[in-house]
Every structure is written in C-alpha cells, then in structure tokens.
Amino acid sequence: MRQLLRRILTRSTGADRLSSVLGERRSRPYQPMRPWQVRGRRFRTTWRGLDPDEVSAFLDQVADDLGRVYAQLSNSQEEAARIKDALRRWQAAQAPTMRAMARR
C-alpha cells in the first residue's frame, strides 16, 4: 500500500507531500488537501478562460480519488494496528514458555 501511495503521490503532487501523507516528520507545517477542499476550489474565468463545467468535473474526480486514497490509508493503518496488537498478544503468551526454556 505504501508503494502504491508513493507512486501516486510522487507522480502528481511531489515528493514533499508524500512524507506528510505517510506520517513522516516534515521541517515545515503542511496540511494535506482534503476532498472537500478540492471540491470547493473555484477558479477565475476570463474571456478565453477555462470551461467551468470541465474544471468542476475534473475537481470532483480528483476529490473522489483523494477520498479513496484516504479511506485506503485509514484501512491500512487500522489493519496494521490490529496485526501489531495480535503480535503483542502472541508474544505475551509465548513469554512464559520461552523463560522456561531458558532456565533449562
């Protein structure tokens, strides 16, 4: 999952945002964009400007993709926490057995 996020984020948003999304420390404060921020973004239009419908459709698509990435990231973090908890329980259950073997 981390490799997928690394590929997606380095391709479209730059490597500096990758570390923030993956929870690594940064030297300057940065808040990753949320889907609602993308949906709410508006652009000025000029006489030869952008088609507002096209821009809105694109921003909706980007916001949907961001929502899916954040949901996958959240699921991965929950799964990692569940696995770590199971490992700790298993290690705690094995500790008495290992101590007995060490005494022999």
Side-chain angles (χ1 to χ4, degrees), residues 11-51:
R11 202 179 298 153
S12 61
T13 61
D16 58 336
R17 291 185 183 178
L18 173 65
S19 61
S20 175
V21 170
L22 295 179
E24 298 168 6
R25 306 238 358 130
R26 295 180 44 85
S27 60
R28 61 185 167 89
Y30 172 79
Q31 294 296 319
M33 289 191 76
R34 299 293 182 191
W36 63 268
Q37 292 171 315
V38 174
R39 283 190 181 93
R41 179 74 165 110
R42 299 292 172 248
F43 298 93
R44 281 183 306 144
T45 55
T46 60
W47 182 60
R48 292 183 178 228
L50 303 170
D51 178 15

Side-chain angles (χ1 to χ4, degrees), residues 53-96:
D53 294 333
E54 241 182 288
V55 171
S56 293
F58 176 75
L59 290 177
D60 284 340
Q61 181 181 0
V62 169
D64 291 342
D65 290 347
L66 273 176
R68 279 193 291 277
V69 166
Y70 282 120
Q72 289 175 346
L73 180 61
S74 177
N75 289 341
S76 295
Q77 289 170 339
E78 289 172 7
E79 184 179 358
R82 183 183 56 78
I83 291 170
K84 285 179 184 179
D85 185 49
L87 177 61
R88 284 187 195 108
R89 285 192 312 248
W90 180 84
Q91 287 173 331
Q94 296 300 314

